[in-house]
Amino acid sequence: MGLMDKLNLKPGVIYGQDVLKVFQYAKEHQFALPAVNVTSSSTVVAVLEAAKETRSPVILQVSNGGAAFFAGKSIPNSNQEASVAGAVAAAHFIRSIAPVYGVPVIMHSDHCAKKLLPWLDGMIDADEAFFKEHGTSLFSSHMIDLSEEDLSYNIETTTKYLKRSQPLGLWLEMEVGLTGGEEDGVNNEDVDNNSLYTQPEDILAIYEALSPISNFFSIAAGFGNVHGVYQPGNVKLHPELLGKHQAHVAKKLGDGQAKPVFFVFHGGSGSSKAEFQEAISYGVVKVNLDTDLQWAYLTGHRDYILKNIEYLRTQVGNPEGPGKPNKKKYDPRVWVREGEKTMKARVIEALDDFKTAGQL
């Protein structure tokens, strides 16, 4: 009997208590859900196929830029209108298609910095409207990332959003301690390395502020994480810090919970399997994946084009003859599919590394 039977889950996007139950189950059984950034229906399909094939729960997420891309690059975004529209469209699409794949899916929005808060407001507006009509939110969860701000502002503002999210059963992820590198227009490549490591006192302060409102929250804590991809050895991860954070909060609570905090692993590209598994052992239930999967999606397209280049120079005429048509080679359903295959394979690798595969 797997997760779906034990937790009485239906396939498709899950919400509220079901999200909490999945994260609790993951923490108890020491696995994590990969959270994959998607930018199109094609990338969504690649992830869902991987989850179906491996019998795994999965998280699909849109970044601010990815959501705008989903809407279309020609749409103005000065007031976050494209990012809101694209995120809502992605959520509706995923909600519609996910049940066909027979797996539980958490629909999430990624990093939302202070300057992007109108984007988060717009998505929660959509959640509230959807909840009024259907009794559930449209998204399963959102992320607010005020890690570049003062801790007091970070906690105060995150608390405000958790209060707004609580009646809808929305999960809220927050970040404390910077994640280095660059992602989606946010550049932390030159920050002081000390800023990449969150302190246990900060984790406790967050837990004490948020837990009286709701237990539907997780923390992306810095332990040397870096967005992007770098040469091996350039990134110094210290996942053992997460264990110290858990012990600090557990001691204060004194209620017998060994790992009271739900942690999130950001900037995991290039990390070793051992580093992932150590972090998971300390209560990481979600691991973000973007950079490696962008590369994986590209390689399928690249290899197909290089292999078939003589069939892709003109609509008619190829090595088989000057009058031979090339439509079967340049049909998007052919070459786009090759990217889906290579992305799917990389997601399956992550599902194995995080011990998510076979959990259903």
Side-chain angles (χ1 to χ4, degrees), residues 15 95 127 129-139 168:
Y15 308 92
R95 178 182 168 86
D127 284 314
F130 197 84
F131 186 90
K132 188 177 294 185
E133 186 174 351
H134 300 281
T136 66
S137 54
L138 177 60
F139 293 81
L168 307 176

Side-chain angles (χ1 to χ4, degrees), residues 35-100:
V36 182
N37 285 69
V38 292
T39 55
S40 64
S41 61
S42 175
T43 53
V44 168
V45 164
V47 180
L48 290 176
E49 283 190 358
K52 178 181 179 181
E53 185 171 311
T54 58
R55 298 291 297 155
S56 307
V58 72
I59 300 170
L60 295 176
Q61 61 186 27
V62 288
S63 68
N64 179 265
F69 186 86
F70 215 106
K73 292 295 285 185
S74 67
I75 305 300
N77 204 30
S78 58
N79 296 312
Q80 299 300 318
E81 55 266 52
S83 291
V84 171
V88 169
H92 278 292
F93 172 70
I94 292 167
R95 178 182 168 86
S96 298
I97 202 68
V100 178

Side-chain angles (χ1 to χ4, degrees), residues 164-181:
R164 185 180 177 191
S165 301
Q166 190 272 335
L168 307 176
L170 277 168
W171 190 273
L172 189 65
E173 175 185 335
M174 64 88 68
E175 182 163 350
V176 60
L178 294 176
T179 300

Side-chain angles (χ1 to χ4, degrees), residues 334-348:
V334 177
W335 57 268
V336 171
R337 178 59 183 160
E338 294 305 309
E340 292 173 1
K341 290 177 182 177
T342 48
M343 183 174 176
K344 169 187 170 182
R346 182 62 183 87
V347 175
I348 289 175

Side-chain angles (χ1 to χ4, degrees), residues 134-155:
H134 300 281
T136 66
S137 54
L138 177 60
F139 293 81
S140 311
S141 61
H142 296 293
M143 180 188 182
I144 182 168
D145 178 4
L146 302 176
S147 56
E148 293 185 311
E149 313 303 325
D150 292 337
L151 181 63
S152 58
Y153 176 83
N154 188 347
I155 294 176

Side-chain angles (χ1 to χ4, degrees), residues 288-308:
N288 281 18
L289 289 174
D290 188 18
T291 304
D292 282 357
L293 292 176
Q294 291 176 353
W295 176 252
Y297 191 62
L298 166 69
T299 58
H301 299 142
R302 179 201 65 195
D303 294 348
Y304 177 83
I305 290 170
L306 291 175
K307 179 181 178 182
N308 294 281

